[in-house]
Structures are given as structure tokens and as C-alpha cells.
Amino acid sequence: MMKMIVSVGVYDQKSKDKIMKILIGLAGIDFSYIDLKEGTLIVIGDVDPVAIVAKLRRKWGRANLTLFVPCTNREVRELEALLRSNSNVFDRLHVPTPPHSNHIVNSLGQGCVIC
């Protein structure tokens, strides 16, 4: 699990909502939030940093990768606890992954297998 901080220059709620809509299409994001005071996006999960920055630059116009480091489960729990205690300051968002198509399961319990 990795922690990534991206400087996106977002300082209002309308822009924050647009950024979050951009992130919904990316798989592997476990947790994300935007700090409106700093104008930064914090993403935690198993996700490619190049994919996030490229998509943000393409759809938002500006994004700079500030930090990309490994993250422990303890740090994630501490961050979530901090956000729960200060819910009026930060909005927490678990970004859902896109829905997967239904697949056929054979008699052995395996999914679609191409022989």
C-alpha cells in the first residue's frame, strides 16, 4: 500500500467535487481526500502514480506529484481516526472501483477461463 500526495491547486468545494469524480474511474484507490487549505490531494492504495497524475493533468489541467512513499495499515487507521474526529474540517471519501462485468462460473467454480 502506497501513500501519494499530489498538488492540484484546489481551494473550493466545486473544484474538489470535480477532482473526486475524476478519481472514481481509477481502480486501486482505497482512500482519498483533498485538503482545501493546502490544495493537495492525498491518495492511499495500490495505484500507479503515473496514471493518477496523467489523468488529472489531462482532465484537470494541473497536477504535480509531491510525495510517493510506502504506507502502513497503522498510518491509514490513524488518518481515518483523525478525519473522523475532525469531520467538519475534512470530508472522507472511499472511492469505489468501477463495476465489473458479470462473468460465467463453470461447474468447477472458476470464472471465465479461455482455453
Side-chain angles (χ1 to χ4, degrees):
M1 188 171 295
M2 302 300 280
K3 178 168 112 177
M4 182 168 79
I5 298 177
V6 181
S7 175
V8 289
V10 173
Y11 300 100
D12 62 343
Q13 187 64 38
K14 185 176 179 181
S15 298
K16 177 182 172 181
D17 294 339
K18 287 181 184 179
I19 295 291
M20 288 301 184
K21 285 181 184 177
I22 292 170
L23 292 179
I24 288 175
L26 296 170
I29 297 175
D30 295 329
F31 181 82
S32 67
Y33 81 96
I34 294 180
D35 183 358
L36 294 177
K37 288 182 182 179
E38 298 290 325
T40 58
L41 164 70
I42 296 178
V43 177
I44 296 176
D46 295 322
V47 64
D48 184 20
V50 175
I52 287 182
V53 172
K55 190 164 188 176
L56 285 170
R57 283 183 180 167
R58 186 175 55 239
K59 296 201 175 198
W60 179 247
R62 57 185 175 264
N64 294 318
L65 183 63
T66 305
L67 180 70
F68 184 69
V69 295
C71 182
T72 63
N73 287 335
R74 188 176 130 248
E75 290 175 324
V76 173
R77 286 192 303 269
E78 288 175 359
L79 183 61
E80 287 180 344
L82 175 68
L83 293 176
R84 276 192 211 111
S85 67
N86 294 330
S87 62
N88 58 346
V89 177
F90 298 110
D91 286 331
R92 195 182 83 187
L93 174 69
H94 288 277
V95 178
T97 57
H100 300 290
S101 62
N102 294 336
H103 62 278
I104 301 170
V105 178
N106 63 15
S107 62
L108 299 174
Q110 298 171 336
C112 292
V113 179
I114 300 174
C115 299

